[in-house]
Each structure stands twice: as structure tokens, then as C-alpha cells.
Amino acid sequence: MSTHHAGHVAVIGRPNVGKSTLVNALVGAKVSIVSNRPQTTRHRLLGIATFERGQLLLVDTPGIHREQGKSSASAMHRWMNRAARGALEGVDAAVLVVEAGRWDEEDALAYDALREAKVPVVLAVNQVDRFKDKAALLPFLAEVTEGREFAAVHPVSALKRQGLDALVDTLLPLLPEQPPLYGEDEITDKSQRFLAGELVREQLMRQLGAELPYATTVEIESFTEEPARHGVLLRIGAVIWVEREGQKGIVIGKGGARLREIGSRARESMERLFGAKVFLETFVRVRAGWSDDEAALRTLGYHD
């Protein structure tokens, strides 16, 4: 009889290397939001990937980035680094995700954090689909593995779902032999309420300019479920918080057009994820300096 393995795997790397895309691909559902902006992920999030021979409890984390000193790093950035490093506590293994062809000081910082955790580390070299000639990657792989200990190295494309089976085959034996820790139909430890807020924030990251999304956060003010003709209807009220009055107008857009687009796309994502009809109301409010205020962060759901 084949053995069953289950355990926690931290997914670590610098910002914007595809950690959340990899977690979603392994889980087979969208549990972590994705955009092309660095530091989209702000919270630790568990993605549950269940296979016949085992269960990976994937801890998706904010990207580890270098702080330039307490004075210049905002409370939000310090919190995200704490969340990323805290995710290493109690895990059985880790995946270090790097971008194919690129290794910089933040990748080294992430590797050093994993060495301190003393768990087996698998290197996932992501976005290899960008290389037509895979042999061109060999010098890069030799460079990043020299003098560093990895349990295995896997070239993957999380977006194209390439190389994932081999990655799973490597990870499962690194975990304890035990039965599944979650039900087969469970995909995350987060509530629908939390996921709803993240899906609104994903649209802010995708639709606004390069800087403004970092001055925004989302709070779900109301979340109720009621019977509907075909299943249930979820009524959700979401508050988008910004730091200055001028930012409020940018989020709302001319005649409310941008806010309607953000709400519409977020609602569609919620309906796909929750399998239910959603009535979503969005509001934009100002809370000055929330991203550099530890107390404000706690009230908005950013707590260890």
C-alpha cells in the first residue's frame, strides 16, 4: 500500500516572481490574487492542494524584500516582511521561487531566510516558457545552485502549468507520513469574506497606476447570504480605503466609471470562486496615513 504524505510547504521568494500563480496552479483554483505589480500578496494564505498520494498545504507569502532601515520602510512593508518570515515557522519544507534568468540580492535574502529555517528547500525556476531554448538556462542554473543547498531544482511555468507534476513528486516525500489534514473539497483556510476583499483589491492592483494601489486597501463591511431562485445570493459591501482625498477621485473615475469596472470585474471573480450569485456594493473612503499606522493596519485586518 502506498504511503500518504501531508504537511506545510512555505512558498517564498522576492516580490513578483509568480508565487501566487504557482500556488493557484497547484491548488487548481484561485485562492491567491495575482497582478503584475510587485507585493500584490500582503497576507499569509494557505492553499490546499490535494492529490491521491498526498496533500500540500502551501503557505503563500508576501515577497521578502530588503528594508532600507526602519525610518524609510512603512509599517505595511515591515508587516509584510514579518508575515513572510513568520510563514517559515512550523513548515516541513519550502519552495524558493525565482525568475528564470534572474537572481539578485532579494533572491539571496529569501534563500538566507530559508537556511535559517533549516527545512528542505526545493528551487522552482519559474517562467521558463519565456526561453525557447531551454539549454540557455543551464549557465543560470549552475550559477544559482553553486554553494547553495537545494533538495531539488525544477524549471517550471506556473502560468502555463508546465513542470508541476515533477515538482509535486519531489515535495510530497519531504512531508510527514500522515492522512490528509483538510477535506478533499477544501482549497484554503481563509473565509469567503477575506477572499472577497482580496478579489476587490486585485482589481485595484490591475486597473490603477503603478503607485496608487499601494495606498489602497479593502475592508468587507458586510457579507450576508440569502436564498435565491437558483442557490444562494451573496450580498457584499466593500470599502476601498485610500490615504488622501485626491486618491478617492482616481479610484472612482469620471462619472464613477472606474469604480464600476473594479466592482464588476471583482463580482465576476467572486461568482466564479464561490459558485453563487453576488450583489456587490463598493464605497471609497479616506483614512489618512493608514499604511504607516500600526494600529490602523490591525483594524484593517493586518495582524500577526
Side-chain angles (χ1 to χ4, degrees), residues 271-282:
E271 290 183 339
R272 283 194 297 270
L273 182 60
F274 302 151
K277 293 296 291 181
V278 172
F279 178 79
L280 174 66
E281 285 187 292
T282 52

Side-chain angles (χ1 to χ4, degrees), residues 53-70:
R53 61 199 185 280
Q55 190 174 69
L56 300 175
L57 308 181
L58 300 156
V59 187
D60 191 13
T61 63
I64 291 179
H65 55 280
R66 191 172 297 281
E67 293 177 8
Q68 302 302 322
K70 294 288 185 184

Side-chain angles (χ1 to χ4, degrees), residues 37 203-210 212-213 216 250-251 258:
R37 309 275 183 216
Q203 292 306 317
L204 292 169
M205 300 295 289
R206 289 187 170 191
Q207 295 192 40
L208 299 179
L212 186 56
T216 64
I250 296 172
V251 175
R258 175 166 276 148

